Amino acid sequence: MKITEFLIIDLDARDLVDLKSSNRSPLSLAEFEVLKCLIKHAGDVVSKEALNAAGWPGRVVAPSSLTQCMSSLRKKLATQQEIELKNIPRYGYSLCIVDTNGLKEHALSVDDSGKLRDGEHNPSVIIPAEEVQISTKIQGRKRGVYRWLSLVGLCLVIASLHFSGGLKKAVNILSLIAEPEVASITERSFILAEKPSLVNTVQLDNQNSPQIPVGHLLDNWFNYDAVLNNSAEKQMFMYDNGRYESVALCNEFDKTCGDHQPLNLVRSMTFPIAPLDIQWLANTKLRMEQVTYNKILLDQFEGGDKGLIEDIFRADVYYYSDSQNVVRADVRLSLIFDSENRGKLVAAACITDDLLKEISIRYQFSGDFKLKQSKVDGKTVKTFFVDIDERSFTRPQTLSKESATIYREIRKNVLKNESMVLRQLYQDDDSGVWMLPLWGDTMVWAHREQVSL
């Protein structure tokens, strides 16, 4: 099977053969079938499902199998400058072949008289070589003109988008498309405070980390029996982004969350992991939550929005480390839907800790959102793509070591972004579970209220 002028596949030996150097690269059966499929559709995008079906027919394999196969093929094609194996995020792969001669190599052949035969379209037509050379020059000039016109047109489009503000939006849309999606929500049973409970472990599609054992999460908790002791089932959502692990716990779950103050915890993944006295944390929470530092009003939508419903979510999130100083993030979200999948969102957070009781970090962002819904392991995942049009940030003159961790995360992951992705993994009439941009992506179980405007 011919790929380019100097590269073929030996179908009998299942080798990739470089005719220039006579080098042979053996192909595994999966590599062989996947490469044949890509060659058959050269220049087109071939879906991951189609490549999986070609390489592993009738089998269910892990996503990493195709990734490893493509990585191996890239290494074996590395010396072929006219071939590029492109990854099209979320869709599949494409094999692009550069025709260095300006002709389709497989379409022309030379007969015994020294003339070229158009073997692809009409095998009976004989084309004099001189005519082909002239035709090739004309085609080359045409392609040059077309490229120049295309470049001018592209520059005009970019300039138009830039001056109209559309270029910024286009870049934002492309960056949002590249954001990872929720790959899995794995539900597992465990016992907490002698009561049967459920934990939902969330993974994004760019994560390869193994699933964290539930026991690993609870090993550093103690004195929690009195705080969490009730007859209701407990339910948790857990996420590990490689640097921070977050847990959102509803202490009273009976088909819906009846806990008006779910427990939201974040800890650093550095070892050794600090122990956490849940009874001490409950007392600290009670004391810190006597003061509402978040003075930012979310109800800022104009009166012209009469008849609309505003969804408001409120939560307290606590970060703890090996010190006795916890950081509290007082978080609020407000959403109004203009249509089924579009609307406006305002998010605000006020961060303080037990050492700096009167000093806090405040940040807020708002903008229009687009909503995408999907089903992951039987759960409805709502992804909000927010195009940020306003933001504010207040940094105190003094930062404790613990509060500096979230200050750095906000500076790096929130303030520089022109767009934002927020995910909701669960919602009932009184609560919702969100992945919010705090310590990276942080799991937050928030209390929900609805206000008629």
Side-chain angles (χ1 to χ4, degrees):
M1 175 181 285
K2 187 175 181 180
I3 305 176
T4 66
E5 184 179 1
F6 298 107
L7 185 66
I8 65 170
I9 298 177
D10 185 336
L11 298 178
D12 294 328
R14 213 166 67 200
D15 285 348
L16 193 62
V17 183
D18 187 333
L19 298 178
K20 278 186 178 179
S21 62
S22 298
N23 286 337
R24 285 177 169 265
S25 300
L27 298 171
S28 68
L29 181 58
E31 292 169 353
F32 179 67
E33 296 298 339
V34 166
L35 185 55
K36 284 201 309 181
C37 182
L38 288 167
I39 293 169
K40 181 179 179 182
H41 301 282
D44 296 330
V45 179
V46 185
S47 69
K48 294 179 182 179
E49 292 76 15
L51 293 174
N52 280 327
W56 299 270
R59 294 172 54 193
V60 178
V61 295
S64 58
S65 299
L66 180 59
T67 304
Q68 292 169 1
C69 176
M70 303 308 290
S71 175
S72 177
L73 284 175
R74 280 197 180 95
K75 291 178 182 177
K76 293 175 182 180
L77 294 169
T79 58
Q80 306 299 319
Q81 295 182 353
E82 64 271 36
I83 294 179
E84 185 176 1
L85 194 52
K86 294 184 177 181
N87 176 23
I88 313 301
R90 299 193 183 187
Y91 293 98
Y93 294 86
S94 178
L95 183 72
C96 298
I97 301 174
V98 179
D99 186 354
T100 55
N101 296 322
L103 296 171
K104 290 186 177 179
E105 297 166 348
H106 65 276
L108 299 175
S109 59
V110 182
D111 69 359
D112 295 335
S113 63
K115 296 180 178 180
L116 296 178
R117 183 184 299 275
D118 185 355
E120 179 186 22
H121 302 292
N122 191 347
S124 64
V125 176
I126 304 298
I127 308 172
E130 297 83 3
E131 293 183 18
V132 172
Q133 291 174 359
I134 295 170
S135 176
T136 301
K137 289 180 181 178
I138 294 172
Q139 291 176 10
R141 289 171 184 168
K142 285 183 177 179
R143 281 195 293 271
V145 172
Y146 292 150
R147 289 194 189 102
W148 184 81
L149 290 174
S150 298
L151 183 60
V152 171
L154 180 60
C155 291
L156 290 173
V157 170
I158 292 175
S160 175
L161 287 173
H162 174 71
F163 289 112
S164 67
L167 181 60
K168 177 180 173 182
K169 291 184 178 179
V171 171
N172 289 347
I173 291 171
L174 291 174
S175 67
L176 290 174
I177 291 174
E179 282 287 330
E181 295 183 343
V182 176
S184 65
I185 305 175
T186 306
E187 188 176 275
R188 291 174 289 166
S189 300
F190 72 107
I191 300 297
L192 179 59
E194 301 181 355
K195 299 296 183 296
S197 307
L198 287 175
V199 60
N200 300 276
T201 304
V202 180
Q203 279 199 307
L204 303 184
D205 60 14
N206 63 343
Q207 290 181 288
N208 296 314
S209 56
Q211 197 174 79
I212 301 171
V214 181
H216 169 74
L217 171 71
L218 302 180
D219 280 347
N220 75 322
W221 290 14
F222 64 97
N223 285 345
Y224 56 78
D225 287 345
V227 177
L228 304 178
N229 187 19
N230 56 50
S231 59
E233 177 186 296
K234 292 92 172 64
Q235 189 156 159
M236 287 198 303
F237 280 80
M238 183 168 69
Y239 175 66
D240 165 21
N241 63 18
R243 294 176 299 120
Y244 299 100
E245 181 180 78
S246 59
V247 174
L249 168 64
C250 174
N251 190 35
E252 300 178 20
F253 193 88
D254 183 10
K255 297 182 180 178
T256 61
C257 182
D259 189 348
H260 291 292
Q261 289 186 318
L263 181 62
N264 299 297
L265 296 175
V266 184
R267 69 183 183 190
S268 172
M269 292 300 291
T270 56
F271 290 93
I273 294 175
L276 179 63
D277 185 337
I278 298 294
Q279 182 64 67
W280 169 82
L281 178 64
N283 296 335
T284 302
K285 275 172 64 0
L286 187 63
R287 175 170 45 79
M288 293 183 74
E289 289 170 11
Q290 298 300 312
V291 180
T292 301
Y293 294 95
N294 196 340
K295 301 295 185 182
I296 304 169
L297 296 177
L298 299 186
D299 310 308
Q300 58 176 260
F301 300 108
E302 297 178 359
D305 293 327
K306 278 188 176 180
L308 296 178
I309 302 295
E310 181 180 7
D311 256 338
I312 300 174
F313 294 86
R314 291 183 170 90
D316 288 292
V317 187
Y318 288 86
Y319 168 81
Y320 67 97
S321 61
D322 54 359
S323 74
Q324 290 293 303
N325 182 32
V326 295
V327 179
R328 173 197 177 198
D330 181 357
V331 181
R332 305 191 184 191
L333 286 176
S334 179
L335 300 94
I336 285 185
F337 283 84
D338 298 329
S339 63
E340 184 178 357
N341 296 314
R342 293 175 182 269
K344 299 179 179 65
L345 178 144
V346 182
C350 186
I351 297 97
T352 189
D353 59 34
D354 208 23
L355 294 180
L356 307 172
K357 295 183 176 65
E358 303 302 326
I359 304 172
S360 62
I361 303 168
R362 292 182 178 89
Y363 86 92
Q364 176 175 326
F365 62 86
S366 63
D368 296 334
F369 69 77
K370 296 176 183 176
L371 170 63
K372 174 186 173 184
Q373 297 193 60
S374 58
K375 282 284 187 181
V376 179
D377 294 330
K379 292 181 171 58
T380 299
V381 175
K382 297 179 180 179
T383 305
F384 294 81
F385 301 98
V386 186
D387 190 7
I388 298 174
D389 52 30
E390 291 185 12
R391 76 182 77 220
S392 62
F393 181 69
T394 302
R395 179 205 188 281
Q397 292 183 346
T398 305
L399 283 173
S400 64
K401 174 185 174 182
E402 293 79 13
S403 62
T405 61
I406 190 170
Y407 172 75
R408 287 192 296 267
E409 289 294 330
I410 294 172
R411 292 283 300 175
K412 181 173 65 175
N413 297 322
V414 178
L415 295 180
K416 293 182 179 180
N417 293 343
E418 299 293 339
S419 55
M420 195 72 64
V421 175
L422 281 68
R423 302 177 181 88
Q424 189 190 69
L425 309 176
Y426 169 83
Q427 179 176 295
D428 57 41
D429 290 342
D430 299 318
S431 72
V433 177
W434 293 79
M435 293 182 76
L436 299 179
L438 293 169
W439 289 265
D441 281 318
T442 297
M443 204 66 66
V444 177
W445 205 316
H447 180 67
R448 180 191 183 206
E449 296 178 6
Q450 288 187 304
V451 178
S452 297
L453 298 180

